[in-house]
Amino acid sequence: MPDSGHARLITLVRADRRLRAIPLTTEEEGVALAVGAWLGGERSVLLMQSSGAGNCINMLGMANECRVPLLALVTMRGQWGEFNPWQVPMSRATAPSLAAIGMVVQAVDRAGEVGESVAAAARLAFSTSRMIAVLISQRVVGAKEFK
Amino acid sequence: MKHNLPSLDRRRVAADILRQRGNALVVAGLGAPVWDTAAAGDHALNFYTWGGMGGAAMIGLGLALAQPARRVLVITGDGELLMGLGSLATIAVQRPRNLAVIVMDNERYGETGMQDTHTRFGVDLAGIAKAAGFRAAGTVYSAAELKSWIPRFHRHAGPLFCDIKVTTQAAPMVLPMREGPVLKNRFREALLGPSEASVPNS
Ligand SMILES: Cc1ncc(C[n+]2csc(CCOP(=O)(O)OP(=O)(O)O)c2C)c(N)n1
Ligand SMILES: [Mg+2]
């Protein structure tokens, strides 16, 4: 489920024949998709904006119970320099609610650290069969301009 | 709107479909569809969901894309499917040729006390699947119609969608194993081999 912070990544995925971009109608579809893909022997990465974290909670409970490795790259809104007040509540609930359902939550605040943080999170997820959310700060992706 | 009275017995439906499963991979939606699937015979390539309501069809999509040479059957309830209707659109966009989504439609939330679901009021799940872009979609009321669909589940190009109208008659519970890691590892071992069963090397 795209956020503007994922735009370039999605374009790169679409251009790479080894990868497949699967658009969703809601984020929890991606959690169930990841469970099926893992049962079938494939890895997946879930891309979402922080507003989508709450949509996933019960489905994440399934991935947690089944110890399905899950890597989510969550771009934060409602945080650093936000303009839209409606983004703030879910933004503030993102880390606690993902942690409450059993995800390991790792925040990244600097652009220079995103690459190595995602690589480390992927290793943790797929080597230890755990759910990891990398929260990429709005400071990294930039506040959206409404004009 | 055509609305015949459902007459099919869900246990017989599940048994008839799964008798010819071959090496198909089966995902069962939570509640009675799990009991139906288990009653037809436990199998390492059954993934029983005990939660994650609304996710069965998407688990099926993930499996179908990961294993394009295998048939994937999702057997779920009308309530479970209604919770993830958007997944029909997502599946249609991916067009997996090896996926069939089969709904045991008793027009009720059976598990929670037989409350009416939207299908009881005429919401046409097959029509929604067809409009989303499934290659074939239909509603089954009779044993004869089911008989014509079963070979399609196993052989025809998907994605296929079939809404099977079943009675509200409750069948005895047949409870399969329910520990997530055990179900997952058993499935992966049967499909991918022992080395992949638990944590693979990366
Ligand atoms: C997210 C969520 N909401 C509600 C429930 C409670 N619940 C469990 S099974 C079920 C009904 C399932 O109905 P259906 O899929 O039609 O299956 P049936 O028992 O009728 O065959 C409900 C509402 C749940 N487990 N999870
Ligand atoms: Mg039902």
Side-chain angles (χ1 to χ4, degrees), chain B residues 62-151:
Chain B
L63 258 178
L65 296 177
Q67 292 288 331
R70 303 289 281 262
R71 287 310 280 201
V72 177
L73 308 181
V74 174
I75 299 176
T76 192
D78 47 315
E80 202 279 341
L81 190 90
L82 283 162
M83 197 173 278
L85 271 188
S87 59
L88 294 180
T90 298
I91 290 167
V93 168
Q94 297 302 318
R95 283 185 94 62
R97 296 177 66 86
N98 56 333
L99 177 65
V101 177
I102 300 162
V103 178
M104 297 281 191
D105 184 3
N106 59 359
E107 305 184 344
R108 304 289 194 287
Y109 294 106
E111 212 50 41
T112 48
M114 287 290 170
Q115 301 87 353
D116 293 342
T117 65
H118 292 4
T119 62
R120 177 109 165 91
F121 303 95
V123 170
D124 174 9
L125 295 176
I128 293 168
K130 187 77 193 147
F134 272 57
R135 207 177 290 268
T139 305
V140 160
Y141 293 92
S142 69
E145 287 167 330
L146 179 65
K147 203 170 171 198
S148 77
W149 267 94
I150 288 175

Side-chain angles (χ1 to χ4, degrees), chain A residues 118-136:
Chain A
V118 171
R123 194 174 160 79
L124 182 59
F126 294 107
S127 299
T128 74
S129 295
R130 276 179 171 77
M131 314 192 296
I132 321 296
V134 181
L135 308 189
I136 301 170

Side-chain angles (χ1 to χ4, degrees), chain A residues 24-108:
Chain A
L24 310 168
T25 74
T26 177
E27 291 81 0
E28 70 174 334
E29 286 179 8
V31 177
L33 182 83
V35 171
W38 183 250
L39 287 173
E42 289 281 357
R43 297 173 179 212
S44 46
V45 180
L46 178 57
L47 307 183
M48 65 172 129
Q49 178 184 110
S50 49
S51 342
N55 294 358
C56 299
I57 296 301
N58 183 54
M59 210 63 82
L60 286 167
M62 167 171 68
N64 187 18
E65 164 55 21
C66 295
R67 287 284 301 276
V68 169
L70 193 79
L71 177 61
L73 306 184
V74 183
T75 47
M76 296 303 296
R77 292 286 313 274
Q79 193 193 46
W80 185 274
E82 181 60 65
F83 167 84
N84 178 357
W86 291 36
Q87 288 280 359
V88 179
M90 190 60 232
S91 171
R92 291 180 49 80
T94 294
S97 54
L98 292 178
I101 198 63
M103 286 197 108
V104 176
V105 178
Q106 300 181 337
V108 188

